[in-house]
Each structure stands twice: as structure tokens, then as C-alpha cells.
Amino acid sequence: MGLEPAAGTLEPVPALDRPDLLAGPVVEALKALPDDLAASCGVAAIEPDLADTAAFCEAYSSPLELSANCVVVSGSRSGEQRFAACVVLATTRADVNGVVRKRIDVRKASFAPMDLAVELTGMECGGITPFGVPADWPVLVDPAVLAAPAVVVGSGIRASKLVVPGAVLGRLSGAESVEGLGR
């Protein structure tokens, strides 16, 4: 699959061969990709207690610089709540109150409360991924993520991880490359 070295000691299998290791919205997002892109995405089971990035990278020898975090950001304008999924390398932080705030056109942006993010995405805490977020959300992706040969991202559940070519994230519905997103 060409997903090394991001996979570390994991042995990913084609993601669509193991829908049991994916949240429902993630399966649908993978099925919506062109066949060749979907086939390039792997999934591997992990210990759910090791889903958080630092613990995962240490336990599975996956380089931190090839792990991408997806955070849900929200803000409001004129009483309308707006959301975005933001994807940055684990070695950086999303510029929530600069770049993201301007892109979603709100006065103040912040991380969405986890219970709300879980409810809206249909994913588990610690497994949120840009694959399968609500269709009306922009998926903001740092160019460094897109340039990576492969990155590890959530699978929608804590018990697995997706390992995907970085460029695939740019092909997701609503995806935009956003310069300066990761700082």
C-alpha cells in the first residue's frame, strides 16, 4: 500500500475491507472517493486506550510528524453556528483564532465541545477524522498534511487508525488547502 513509515508497526489492510474498524460516516466517505483513492487508504486495529496521538505514536512507532490531527472548530455569526474540520500535523497546532476564524467568518472561533463534536459527526471522542464529517462543513487541511506521502488519522472510532496518502485528504468533500493553518 506504500503507507510506511507512517504506519510504524501497524499492518494496515484496505480500509473498505474492514468496515467494522470504521465509523459509519467514514465508510460512506471512503465509498464516495474514486476507487483508486479509496484503495490507497488502509486501516489497522489498535488498543482503544492508545488512540490519543502521543500514546499512539509511542506505542506503534509511528512518527509524530506523520500523524495528522482533526479538530472540530466552531463559532457563530448572527446567531448561526458554523463548524469546520481542521487537519494539521501533530507537530503543529491549528491557528483557530486567526486562519480558521477568518475562513468560517466568525467573531471568535474555538474548539467545539467534545460531546457536540461527537454528536454531529457520529464518531467517537479520540477518533474524529476528516473522513465523513457533515457535508456542509469545510474540511481545512494544512498543505504539509497534503504533501506527506502518508499520514495516520482517526477512523471515527478509538479502536483503529486510518493510514492514508496525504493527498487523499485534499480530495475529500469540502476539502480546502489552507496555508498557515498549522503553526
Side-chain angles (χ1 to χ4, degrees), residues 25-148:
V26 177
V27 173
E28 296 310 311
L30 285 165
K31 286 179 177 177
L33 289 172
D35 290 345
D36 61 325
L37 292 181
S40 72
C41 298
V43 68
I46 66 165
E47 287 298 321
D49 292 346
L50 299 172
D52 294 332
T53 304
F56 165 79
C57 288
E58 183 177 336
Y60 295 99
S61 301
S62 178
L64 194 59
E65 64 273 11
L66 295 178
S67 187
N69 290 327
C70 179
V71 295
V72 176
V73 175
S74 67
S76 62
R77 163 87 58 193
S78 303
E80 174 197 357
Q81 192 76 13
R82 299 176 184 183
F83 295 90
C86 303
V87 187
V88 297
L89 292 176
T91 53
T92 65
R93 295 194 185 281
D95 183 2
V96 173
N97 261 308
V99 173
V100 180
R101 178 184 60 78
K102 290 176 187 162
R103 168 53 190 84
I104 64 174
D105 190 29
V106 294
R107 296 185 109 209
K108 182 178 188 290
S110 58
F111 295 110
M114 187 51 69
D115 59 339
L116 182 60
V118 165
E119 177 186 335
L120 294 176
T121 63
M123 300 177 201
E124 294 177 2
C125 174
I128 292 180
T129 182
F131 288 85
V133 297
D136 58 339
W137 292 8
V139 176
L140 311 179
V141 187
D142 188 86
V145 173
L146 297 172

